[in-house]
Amino acid sequence: MGEIHHAVYGWVTPALSYFTACLGAFVALRGTRWALLSEGRTKANWLLFASMSLGAGIWSMHFIAMLGFSVSGVRIRYDVLLTVLSLVVAIVVVGLGIFVVGYSRNRTGSLLAGGAATGLGVAAMHYMGMAAVEVPGHIAYHRATVGASVVIAVLAATAALWAALNIKGTLAVLAAAPVMGVAVCAMHYTGMAAVSVHLTGAQESHGGVLALQFVFPLAVGLGCYVFFSALAFAAAPSKPGAPGRWRPAQPVIAGPAPRLVPRQRAAAGR
């Protein structure tokens, strides 16, 4: 049995990963809210933006946290293909849940279906990312703890989508994003608590790349994407003025999102 450490750099990697998860949640919540106020291609673009932000944020959170993961006496490598595939899975499956909420007329049904799809996507990303870990031996999991991590992922995703549907003001979003960051990190570290490593005696696995060669630059790059997306909200106008009339534009990040208009009423007003 290899001796496992989850935070070899102290609180640096948990703190950075939590911050990244909060940013991803904030951008996704705000983007989904504005998608629900839009129609046509604009709606699809907002939903796609929210999906990429949440998926990239969760993926970056996972692999930044994994920089603090170590097994005594061995060097950990990562399979490049599985690492990239886990990112694709995160964005696609999380996007499926967000698009279900964005286009469904049944709010309750779409919330449950979207939360389940998004949560399972987060869990799939986590364990596919763990499958990319290469050690001289094999990694085993405690099944009950794995099940608990999946339940946490589904509950967290459902709560995030509920927040996107119901939270209006910026202060409320700023309060919800850290809560979602806690939930995502709880899922990650619950899943990591299920891990045990059985070594073969070698000091290094064959193939794969070291984290600092590939995973770290990619995770930091995606983290920067999420960070600058959050800053972009501060510069984007919340609502254009009427044609021919000038009106100061309020930043999206500072202005509260308007109330959602029921679809039937919106259709009748056209």
Side-chain angles (χ1 to χ4, degrees):
M1 293 285 291
E3 184 179 354
I4 296 175
H5 304 277
H6 294 287
V8 293
Y9 301 109
W11 287 100
V12 174
T13 49
L16 284 176
S17 63
Y18 172 69
F19 179 69
T20 304
C22 291
L23 280 179
F26 171 79
V27 175
L29 289 175
R30 207 60 168 153
T32 304
R33 184 71 187 181
W34 284 98
L36 294 170
L37 299 167
S38 307
E39 297 292 340
R41 180 176 295 180
T42 302
K43 174 193 278 288
N45 289 340
W46 275 117
L47 292 174
L48 181 61
F49 176 66
S51 302
M52 292 181 63
S53 299
L54 186 58
I58 293 171
W59 187 93
S60 298
M61 175 270 146
H62 170 83
F63 279 100
I64 290 174
M66 287 300 292
L67 293 175
F69 175 78
S70 71
V71 181
S72 296
V74 301
R75 299 178 70 185
I76 297 175
R77 292 179 174 270
Y78 291 85
D79 182 278
V80 173
L81 179 60
L82 282 176
T83 301
V84 174
L85 188 58
S86 68
L87 172 61
V88 174
V89 168
I91 294 175
V92 170
V93 185
V94 165
L96 176 63
I98 290 177
F99 271 80
V100 165
V101 168
Y103 282 101
S104 176
R105 296 180 180 274
N106 184 343
R107 297 288 187 199
T108 302
S110 65
L111 178 62
L112 295 176
T118 304
L120 292 175
V122 171
M125 178 281 301
H126 175 87
Y127 289 106
M128 186 172 291
M130 289 303 299
V133 175
E134 295 186 354
V135 294
H138 70 277
I139 297 175
Y141 296 91
H142 185 266
R143 293 183 180 180
T145 310
V146 169
S149 70
V150 174
V151 171
I152 292 173
V154 171
L155 292 177
T158 304
L161 295 178
W162 178 90
L165 288 172
N166 294 280
I167 290 179
K168 307 179 186 69
T170 301
L171 292 178
V173 174
L174 288 173
V179 175
M180 291 310 307
V182 169
V184 171
C185 290
M187 180 271 158
H188 171 83
Y189 286 105
T190 300
M192 294 307 296
V195 171
S196 60
V197 178
H198 302 266
L199 301 176
T200 60
Q203 291 188 340
E204 190 168 356
S205 60
H206 299 287
V209 297
L210 296 173
L212 293 179
Q213 293 176 332
F214 173 71
V215 176
F216 178 70
L218 184 57
V220 169
L222 289 172
C224 289
Y225 159 78
V226 175
F227 176 74
F228 286 112
S229 294
L231 292 183
F233 270 91
S238 62
K239 199 173 185 180
R245 298 175 62 184
W246 179 86
R247 183 177 65 184
Q250 293 184 346
V252 171
I253 196 172
R259 292 182 60 187
L260 297 180
V261 178
R263 298 178 188 271
Q264 295 84 353
R265 190 189 307 171
R270 291 195 184 97

